[in-house]
Amino acid sequence: MHDRTILVVDDDPHIRDVICFALQKASYSFETAGDGKEALDKALLCNPSLIVLDIGLPEMDGLEVCRHLRRTSEVPILFLSARDDEIDRIVGLELGADDYVTKPFSPRELTARVSAILKRYGAPGVDRDSEEEGSLRQGALSLNKAQRDVSVAGARVALTAIEFDILAALIGRPKIVFTRERILEQAYRDNMHVSDRTIDSHIRNIRAKLGAAGCGDAIDTVHGVGFRLGTCSAGAG
């Protein structure tokens, strides 16, 4: 039995039931909410390990719920949407979501994505590769794989699980230029299908967060090829 609670947020009772049944079969516990306000209240009360969050909620939509959550919480978020809209997808990821599933979806795929996200976060009951232990440094940037911790000149920087894995791949081989396909292989190890624009969105988020911490040259773009680790200078804007 997993010692983890998943908060399922959708205004459609049938979809909530389908998701909860799939999670129960996978031995997860769960809580549910039918609108954005209830989702925020439940997230505060039950401290979930992950939130499955529908974008198309009444009154306060899922994107707004995510904005509120990200002010105080780094809880993993898996977005659901009735529209396969690239703009919604990019906006959701830029707000700090970890993954995105379009309706109609396979319950098995959804639980696989939940498990993959929790694995990246090192949630209780999930095995971690022993090779991920140890710290890596480049200039002012420090990344500890065992603790899933990133800092710039000693100041911690909060990244989502996907952002961490992308940065870990780059700092692990600092002289290598990573194509988007190779970044996908490193960060999405469960063979999930995401677009190149999704990778670009994650890179943009990482740069913004590290830049705000004074390390604006952490990732270089190699035009026509991909990305590599930059010099990571302290105080770089």
Side-chain angles (χ1 to χ4, degrees), residues 5-234:
T5 298
I6 312 301
L7 177 58
V8 179
V9 186
D10 198 294
D11 61 320
D12 186 326
H14 174 67
I15 292 177
R16 290 201 305 269
D17 288 346
V18 168
I19 295 172
C20 291
F21 180 72
L23 292 173
Q24 188 175 40
K25 284 185 65 177
S27 299
Y28 291 102
S29 58
F30 56 83
E31 294 283 344
T32 64
D35 59 54
K37 183 180 183 306
E38 186 181 9
L40 293 175
D41 292 341
K42 285 284 184 74
L44 187 62
L45 287 172
C46 72
N47 190 27
S49 296
L50 181 144
I51 300 177
V52 178
L53 180 60
D54 183 33
I55 289 180
L57 295 171
E59 299 182 19
M60 180 188 296
D61 67 18
L63 298 176
E64 187 63 27
V65 172
C66 184
R67 287 190 186 95
H68 278 275
L69 288 169
R70 282 292 172 259
R71 291 171 187 166
T72 58
S73 173
E74 296 174 33
V75 61
I77 294 174
L78 171 64
F79 268 134
L80 300 178
S81 177
R83 296 180 299 160
D84 188 12
D85 190 316
E86 189 71 15
I87 299 301
D88 275 357
R89 183 187 306 246
I90 297 302
V91 169
L93 292 170
E94 287 179 348
L95 286 173
D98 293 88
D99 208 343
Y100 187 106
V101 173
T102 303
K103 301 176 184 177
F105 54 85
S106 159
R108 180 176 294 182
E109 178 190 6
L110 186 139
T111 55
R113 287 177 182 261
V114 166
S115 297
I117 294 169
L118 290 174
K119 183 177 181 181
R120 290 195 295 268
Y121 271 83
V126 178
D127 293 333
R128 298 288 309 282
D129 295 336
S130 59
E131 66 183 20
E132 292 190 354
E133 297 180 357
S135 294
L136 298 168
R137 296 179 184 276
Q138 172 85 338
L141 178 67
S142 177
L143 181 147
N144 187 293
K145 290 188 174 183
Q147 298 177 9
R148 306 283 293 182
D149 184 79
V150 174
S151 61
V152 172
R156 185 175 181 274
V157 178
L159 300 181
T160 68
I162 285 290
E163 291 165 2
F164 181 92
D165 286 342
I166 291 173
L167 186 60
L170 295 175
I171 198 172
R173 304 196 70 181
K175 296 182 180 180
I176 299 297
V177 177
F178 283 74
T179 64
R180 289 170 177 81
E181 291 77 14
R182 188 166 185 181
I183 290 174
L184 284 172
E185 292 172 1
Q186 294 291 317
Y188 288 85
R189 299 176 186 175
D190 296 83
N191 297 317
M192 300 301 178
H193 297 289
V194 297
S195 69
D196 286 352
R197 286 186 63 189
T198 300
I199 293 298
D200 291 349
S201 178
H202 286 310
I203 293 289
R204 190 160 55 248
N205 288 345
I206 297 168
R207 281 174 167 158
K209 291 178 179 180
L210 295 178
C215 185
D217 59 352
I219 300 176
D220 293 334
T221 298
V222 181
H223 294 288
V225 184
F227 306 96
R228 69 182 169 202
L229 193 70
T231 54
C232 304
S233 306

